[in-house]
Each structure stands twice: as structure tokens, then as C-alpha cells.
Amino acid sequence: MKAKRILAALLAAATFGSLTACSPGGASSAGGSPDAGSAGGSSAAADGELTLTEDGVTPKGVYPIVIDTYNMSVLITQLAWVSDITTNDYTKWLEETTNIHLDMTVVADEGLKDKLNLMLSTDDYPEVIMSGAASSNNDVVTHGMEEGIYIPMNEYIEKYSENLVERWEEMPEIKEGMTAPDGNVYTLPVFEGYVGHGSVGYKQWINQAWLDAVGMDVPTTTDEYYEVLKAFKEQDPNGNGIADEVPLSGATGTWAADPYLFVLNAFDFYEEGLIRLKDGEFSGCANTDGFREGLRFLNKLYAEGLLDPASLTQDGTQLQQLAQNEGNILGAYSAGHIGMGINTGVKEIFDDWTYILPLKGPDGYQGIPVNDKQTVNGGPFAITDQCQNPAAAFRMADMWFGDYESYQMQNWSKGRQWVDAD
């Protein structure tokens, strides 16, 4: 659990531009926003106790970060689902808390890399680069070690970090992954790998309203699974009097939406790479008795019209169209995330669906592949040699490695959008 918490904080720190999308753009941030003291430290502004360090910032843990408003130029991504990142509630809260105004150059996500490369080649780049632009390990070496455009953060980490150093203590491999070959930290990280629900891709989602209609429970075995799909096909669970039900579907060419990925794992371990490591030995996934039995079961579903033929050819967009059909015609589907099918933004629809745990097969096997490996590759936050106050820029970024701030960035304000669990 601790590792998941740490990685959630790191992801929040690495993706300011995307995570601020979760707060309602354009709405007033007054009247419910946390005060500056909520930002992992204390606010001395009200008591007139603010003093500055030799780097022009308040001491570690004290907010605001600077006394006089600091206009800091940044390059940042404008994602399609954010109305206006410059007036986003979280952006305004961050500026009020830190006294740092983000003078944003906002670029669409698909054009961000080209824009950054042009800026760097013409020496016309901002003080800070946010979102995905700072990018890969190769970019860190080129723009940090070789060109000196990205400045080392080591001294600022040592002097001012409250949260990042705690993450390093809890997971030392994070520090190693962030450190360039010359021993410096030039960017704050982005992870390649899997976090939380992403560590298990092979999932299936099932229409609970249809289960209720046919008087059955979520299946736990392949036999129950077959009977449920058969009932979906034959008992008119959507109640329209038409045999238009699609018991099981999926898609190809997208994240884990091929139905066979989930189904085969009820018979034996199966992974797309077709190789497994067990007890120190490698073996194939596609040459076992369980795999062959799984294929026979899939063939049975297909032959009886329980497995949608379109699932072998359609893409993710077509799966969404099927799942969101107004006629409520889909009973179950495979996907790494439930939102790849139904519209999770409509509560009445979301409440009608649930998950299927890994099925137990005829020989008692029950399992699903898990991949929780993490690697650090470059990072989307970099401070450039144009920055007038690198310590202030770092202190702001260090906020995003804290528990509270990562929740705040992703879910907006405590007491309004979220509360602590008991």
C-alpha cells in the first residue's frame, strides 16, 4: 500500500497539466479552498513573520514560497478536456498558496514536443518546462548534461525538499532512476510501467442490471460464466422483446480489450508475450493442456453466438459505441478500464455495471497476470537556465510529491470533492 501511495504522489508531481483537468475550470476557488497552511507546511504571512533565505524563498515548510509575487514563465500542455488551464481552480489555488504566478505558454499536447524543440534551438525558452515536454532520458542527457539548459536540482533538493526526500527514503530506486549519469537530478520523473489498477490489464466488466433481470449472480467459475452468457442471449435481459443482446464483446488494438485474454487465464497462466517465468524457469504459455482447453471453451462461446465476432476486429471506438448503445444491448466486455466501454460519467449507467473477478476453471486454476514493475524515464518537469528563482520553482514542484497535494491536484478540495476515510 505504501508503494502505491508513493507512486501516486510521483505521478501527480509529474503530470501537473493533465491532473489539473480534474478540477472544474473557471469556477471560483474562494470559499472552499484550503489555506496556505494546508500545503504540507505552515503559513507565516498572517503573523508578519516571513523571512527569506539566501535563495530568495521562505524557509522549507513555510508558505507562501515568495513574499512578492513572482511571475514565472512556463511551457505547459493544454489538454482537450481542460476548459482553460490558466484559470483552472487548482492553478489559482497553487498561485495563491505559493505567491508564484504561472505565466503560461500553453501548447496542445500533440504539438508540445515540436514547440519545445523550436524554443530550445532558438534560445527562446521559458524558466520552467511542465507536462510531457522535458521527456526522455536522452533529452535529459542532451539538454541537461551536454547543453546545460536544464539545471541540476541537487542543491535545492538538499535545502528545501519536504516530500521528494521522503519518497526517496521509502523507495530508494526512485532516486536512482531520477539521477543522471553525472550524478545530478535534472528533471522530476515520469514513470513507465504500471501503477494501481494498471498493474492488472486483463479485466472484464458485466452488466449487473442484466444479472438482476435473469436472476443470476456474478459468475465465479467458467461453468457459471457460460450459463450467464447463455441467459443473456436467450432471456431478453434488456426487456425490449427483441433478440438484440450481445452477451460478450471486446476490441483489438487497444488496452487488454481482447476477451480471450481474460478467459484463457481461467485455464492456465496466459500472457500476451507467450512466455512465463516460474520457479526460475521460462516456458511457453501456448503449449499447455490448459491453453488448449481454453481455446475449446472460447470456440464454444463463439459457435453458440455468446462471443461477439466483432470483438476480433473492431477497435476501441467501436466497442464504446456498442457499450453505449441506447438500446442497452451489451452484457459484458473486456477492457483494462471500465471507461473504455460505458460512459462512467453517468451515475445511472455506471451503477448498472460491475466487475468479474478472475474465473476458476474446470481444473481449479484461477489467476491473472500482474505487472507492477516501474522504471523512471526522464521527466516532465525541468528548470531551465533562464529561471530567475530556481529555488522557488523547485519548492513549488516539491509540493506535488506530498500526499495532500497529490490528492488536491487530482480530486480538488478536501471537504468539497473528497473527505478522509475512517
Side-chain angles (χ1 to χ4, degrees), residues 52-374:
L52 297 179
T53 69
E54 69 274 14
D55 295 311
V57 296
T58 54
K60 177 171 64 175
V62 177
Y63 294 88
I65 291 173
V66 291
I67 297 176
D68 298 322
T69 300
Y70 170 29
N71 292 308
M72 186 174 69
S73 60
V74 302
L75 177 66
I76 197 166
T77 309
Q78 173 67 61
L79 298 175
W81 55 87
V82 184
S83 57
D84 187 347
I85 198 169
T86 64
T87 60
N88 185 278
D89 269 7
Y90 179 80
T91 301
K92 291 189 289 184
W93 174 85
L94 182 69
E95 291 180 335
E96 292 168 3
T97 300
T98 62
N99 216 12
I100 298 172
H101 171 69
L102 302 179
D103 184 8
M104 300 182 183
T105 297
V106 184
V107 182
D109 188 47
E110 62 271 15
L112 187 62
K113 188 69 175 179
D114 291 339
K115 178 70 172 180
L116 175 63
N117 288 337
L118 178 61
M119 286 180 161
L120 296 178
S121 66
T122 58
D123 292 330
D124 183 23
Y125 47 86
E127 296 175 78
V128 169
I129 297 162
M130 291 186 182
S131 299
S135 205
S136 70
N137 288 338
N138 289 336
D139 293 325
V140 172
V141 171
T142 299
H143 305 313
M145 292 175 55
E146 297 176 0
E147 298 175 348
I149 295 175
Y150 299 167
I151 67 170
M153 301 186 201
N154 303 47
E155 66 172 296
Y156 306 114
I157 295 172
E158 182 177 351
K159 290 180 181 178
Y160 300 111
S161 177
E162 299 176 83
N163 300 312
L164 176 59
V165 291
E166 288 189 10
R167 306 292 85 83
W168 281 1
E169 290 173 0
E170 293 164 328
M171 293 183 70
E173 63 269 26
I174 294 173
K175 180 179 180 180
E176 181 180 351
M178 291 173 61
T179 304
D182 65 356
N184 289 318
V185 174
Y186 293 98
T187 61
L188 300 184
V190 61
F191 273 83
E192 292 183 350
Y194 304 86
V195 177
H197 80 92
S199 63
V200 177
Y202 302 168
K203 308 183 186 81
Q204 275 198 8
W205 313 95
I206 192 165
N207 193 325
Q208 181 66 58
W210 281 22
L211 287 171
D212 295 341
V214 299
M216 303 178 79
D217 296 325
V218 176
T220 60
T221 68
T222 50
D223 287 342
E224 293 175 359
Y225 183 69
Y226 168 77
E227 294 298 333
V228 164
L229 295 180
K230 188 175 181 182
F232 283 177
K233 180 177 175 61
E234 298 175 350
Q235 297 184 28
D236 191 27
N238 63 11
N240 64 2
I242 305 171
D244 57 354
E245 287 84 0
V246 178
L248 172 63
S249 193
T252 188
T254 187
W255 183 29
D258 300 278
Y260 69 85
L261 296 171
F262 180 83
V263 174
L264 284 175
N265 273 283
F267 296 85
D268 203 345
F269 178 90
Y270 180 82
E271 206 275 329
E272 285 178 286
L274 300 179
I275 296 175
R276 64 177 169 184
L277 175 64
K278 184 177 181 181
D279 299 329
E281 295 185 4
F282 285 102
S283 61
C285 293
N287 60 350
T288 67
D289 291 338
F291 175 78
R292 285 184 280 272
E293 286 301 313
L295 290 181
R296 294 187 182 100
F297 183 76
L298 285 165
N299 180 65
K300 178 181 179 181
L301 300 182
Y302 184 89
E304 296 187 20
L306 308 182
L307 174 59
D308 183 11
S311 65
L312 306 177
T313 57
Q314 69 185 2
D315 60 19
T317 300
Q318 291 168 307
L319 172 60
Q320 279 193 327
Q321 292 171 348
L322 177 66
Q324 298 178 25
N325 186 291
E326 292 183 358
N328 184 23
I329 62 174
L330 182 60
Y333 64 94
S334 287
H337 188 282
I338 190 171
M340 295 167 62
I342 65 167
N343 183 355
T344 58
V346 180
K347 185 177 186 299
E348 293 76 13
I349 295 176
F350 184 74
D351 287 347
D352 278 345
W353 286 79
T354 189
Y355 55 88
I356 308 175
L357 289 174
L359 297 169
K360 183 178 291 187
D363 292 333
Y365 180 84
Q366 183 181 28
I368 213 77
V370 177
N371 187 345
D372 57 2
K373 300 302 180 185
Q374 299 289 327

